């Protein structure tokens, strides 16, 4: 089955650990994962990984994508450099294409007004409140939250973040999704057999 690719935003200071489960298992499920940078020049993650983007943000169109993933980064809180990614998230959501944001990217979406009317989560309520956004009443104290086409999570929940992405894209469902989460979040060895039966070639 032909699928549109998933797009992973990459920028200087991106948090390496937040999207690894998501992108690895999407790739195993047959999705092509393409990286999108501010330009095509290499960026460097918090962990020192050098990434050369597959395309520049200006080349990205919602109709060509299955999902936009926005990882956290120091830059979300120290400058306006990543605001264009939040504006792109708005274009995706307006087009009915899912967006998944974790950690500092949730603050970027808050500043863009995208969390004012959607249930969401983040690192903590006061973190988003500091953006001056109007969505405090929609904040949910949960590991990850999906509201329609928007997925949000805090920095300590990369596994729950991945779970919500898999659910939204239909990669795993039901007991298989539950088993994946129990294995990688809870280290429940009993879940391995369920997941292996469902994903073995």
């Amino acid at each position: 089955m032909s699928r549109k690719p998933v797009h992973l935003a990459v920028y200087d200071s991106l948090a390496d650990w937040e999207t690894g489960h998501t992108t690895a298992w999407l790739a195993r499920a047959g999705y092509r994962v393409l990286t999108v940078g501010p330009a095509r020049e290499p960026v460097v993650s918090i962990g020192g990984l050098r990434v050369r983007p597959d395309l520049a943000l200006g080349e990205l169109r919602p109709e060509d994508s299955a999902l936009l993933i926005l990882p956290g980064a120091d830059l979300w809180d120290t400058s306006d450099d990543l605001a264009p990614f939040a504006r792109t998230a708005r274009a995706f959501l307006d087009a009915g294409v899912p967006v998944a944001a974790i950690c500092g990217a949730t603050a970027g979406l808050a500043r863009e007004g995208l969390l004012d009317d959607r249930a969401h989560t983040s690192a903590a309520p006061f973190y988003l409140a500091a953006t001056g956004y109007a969505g405090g009443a929609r904040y949910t104290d949960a590991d990850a939250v999906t509201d329609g086409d928007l997925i949000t999570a805090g920095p300590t929940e990369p596994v729950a973040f991945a779970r919500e992405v898999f659910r939204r894209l239909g990669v795993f469902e039901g007991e298989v999704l539950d088993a994946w989460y129990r294995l990688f979040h809870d280290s429940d060895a009993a879940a391995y057999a369920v997941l292996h039966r469902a994903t073995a070639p």
Side-chain angles (χ1 to χ4, degrees), residues 103-189:
C103 188
T106 63
L109 298 191
R111 293 185 192 96
E112 182 64 19
L114 296 176
L115 305 185
D116 290 350
D117 301 310
R118 294 177 173 91
H120 60 275
T121 194
S122 184
F126 63 81
Y127 172 63
L128 291 186
T131 68
Y133 85 132
R138 302 301 305 274
Y139 189 93
T140 303
D141 187 12
D143 53 10
V145 172
T146 299
D147 187 339
D149 288 323
L150 180 64
I151 296 165
T152 52
T156 61
E157 299 295 343
V159 178
F161 181 68
R163 177 196 63 202
E164 294 305 300
V165 169
F166 302 157
R167 190 196 322 268
R168 178 61 184 78
L169 295 183
V171 172
F172 298 135
E173 298 175 332
E175 70 169 2
V176 178
L177 182 63
D178 177 66
W180 184 90
Y181 184 75
R182 286 189 291 116
L183 180 62
F184 288 98
H185 187 268
D186 303 328
S187 299
D188 181 355

Side-chain angles (χ1 to χ4, degrees), residues 8-151:
L8 171 67
V10 295
Y11 20 70
D12 286 333
S13 79
L14 76 93
D16 313 65
W17 64 91
E18 293 177 344
T19 60
H21 287 287
T22 303
T23 55
W25 284 88
L26 287 176
R28 291 188 72 162
Y31 282 92
R32 186 178 180 205
V33 179
L34 298 177
T35 53
V36 183
R40 287 190 177 232
E41 285 73 27
V43 299
V44 180
S45 74
I46 288 176
L49 296 180
R50 189 174 178 84
V51 181
R52 183 179 296 278
D54 293 305
L55 66 160
L57 186 61
E59 302 173 79
L60 179 62
R61 303 185 309 167
E63 59 266 33
D64 297 331
S65 184
L67 169 75
L68 174 62
I69 303 172
L70 299 173
D74 291 340
L75 284 178
W76 283 112
D77 297 319
T78 59
S79 75
D80 293 327
D81 290 357
L82 301 186
F85 285 91
R87 290 193 291 271
T88 297
R90 177 180 292 280
F92 267 61
L93 293 171
D94 287 348
V97 182
V99 173
I102 186 169
C103 188
T106 63
L109 298 191
R111 293 185 192 96
E112 182 64 19
L114 296 176
L115 305 185
D116 290 350
D117 301 310
R118 294 177 173 91
H120 60 275
T121 194
S122 184
F126 63 81
Y127 172 63
L128 291 186
T131 68
Y133 85 132
R138 302 301 305 274
Y139 189 93
T140 303
D141 187 12
D143 53 10
V145 172
T146 299
D147 187 339
D149 288 323
L150 180 64
I151 296 165

